Amino acid sequence: MSCYHIRGGRPLEGRLTVQGAKNSALPILAATLLAPGESVIENCPHLSDVDAALAILKGLGCRVWRQGDTVGVDASVLAGAEISRELMEEMRSSVVFLGAMLARMGRAALTYPGGCELGPRPIDLHLAALRTLGADIREENGLLRCTGRHMAGGEISLTIPSVGATENAMLAACGCPGVTRISGAAREPEIEDLQGFLQAMGADIQGAGTSTVIIRGGAPLRPARYRVMGDRIAAATYLCAAAAAGGQVALTGVDPEHLRAVLTALEQAGCSVQTGPGEIALTSGGCLCAVPPVVTEPYPGFPTDAQAIFMAALAGGRGVTLFRENIFESRYGHVAQLRAMGADIQVEGREAIVTGAGGLHGADVRGGDLRGAAALVVAGVAARGETRVTGLAHIRRGYDGLDVGLRALGADITETD
Ligand code: EPZ
């Protein structure tokens, strides 16, 4: 079984351009279904989740190609409107294809995405939003059969600012004649990136990044060329590694505003952070100090996807920090593995109390989910001694060469069998 072999405790130095954003690329790839013709997506990261999205598009009849960080999708001729069970299980966020399939083909069949390592992953808000637009959705034996022959714009009110439900509603509304208003929408930067691509396709859509998105749908759309924004969580990962190990790094290709809450927390932990257009520089003496409670919230609050990563950075520091995970039910899978590296972390329901151990030691640890596995790599880079991290399949879902990026910043990390 392959693993990352890390010799930790060295400061990080260097510059790195951050990968394209996984959570932008996936809904944008789904949106390519909305128009016949070839769309070209630049800065598309090499990820297993992107591979799964491309497999779904091919399964629907699209012709897809990749050249470096550029991906092409020709959705001229679609055949079939079904996503296989194995592809749905490979990537639960493929539910976002539902809105695009209804908008383009008026029908869709896919299996219920089901829960994952983070807890239940309900899609009730997705289905309610699509039903508001006139979709007929029947759930039978874990299969969702959807038809939307006569969909029309409507008023969608999301009780939770769900990223996926907002994206599904945006995509479906593009195919619905009339005005759709999505209130209570998620405000994540990835939603704005999706809006940017849809506008490039000719969609009349405004408001992404605020709680109200308005779409005037029904007009034919055209394929477009679009560059995916930088991945704010990948950026947070490299910054937390440098913060914990000490050193001086500079990241390019990501908007500092997209991870302001994380940058503020890193400054509170003792790092010096400078930002400019598309650039973040961080200097750290290592051994971080405690910070005010870290409470995960919808954007622009502290992102749930950075919770494990930041916890790993603080675990080897000093002082006591309270974490509260408000978004997902069970997102502390990384705690037991961090304890194996000497971390002192007490978990009580959605709260975790981290008491800095004044440095962690290397260990053989296993990642159980995407960001939890990345957190173990962050801890290993800062820890004294050698760490082996298994569970790389989780990491490959969301990081385009995490080991390569960290080596570029001076970490001693190699992938071994
Ligand atoms: C997106 O997941 C991201 N994934 C997640 O990133 C991210 O953690 C999450 O948003 C929150 O920011 C992608 O964009 C591909 P939600 P999503 O719907 O859309 C509840 C990563 O590490 N909910 O915003 O699935 C849900 O249970 C991944 O890159 C309902 O109750 O998240 C959760 O508690 C992990 N009913 C909360 O809303 C619904 O119909 C937020 O979930 C939908 C969601």
Side-chain angles (χ1 to χ4, degrees), residues 129 131-134 151-157 173 176-183 213-215:
R131 284 176 170 133
T132 299
L133 300 177
M151 293 176 73
E155 292 285 331
I156 294 170
S157 174
C176 295
V179 176
T180 295
R181 178 193 304 268
I182 307 169
S183 53
V213 180
I214 297 177
I215 303 103

Side-chain angles (χ1 to χ4, degrees), residues 29-40 57 60-63 72-79 100-101 103-105 174-175 197-198 200-202 218-225:
L29 286 170
T32 61
L33 282 173
L34 292 175
E38 183 179 77
S39 287
V40 178
L57 290 167
L60 295 173
C62 298
R63 191 174 60 80
V73 180
D74 186 334
S76 300
V77 180
L78 300 184
M101 290 163 76
R104 175 74 188 275
M105 296 182 268
C174 286
F197 178 59
L198 292 171
M201 297 180 87
L221 300 180
R222 56 183 182 271
R225 175 180 286 265

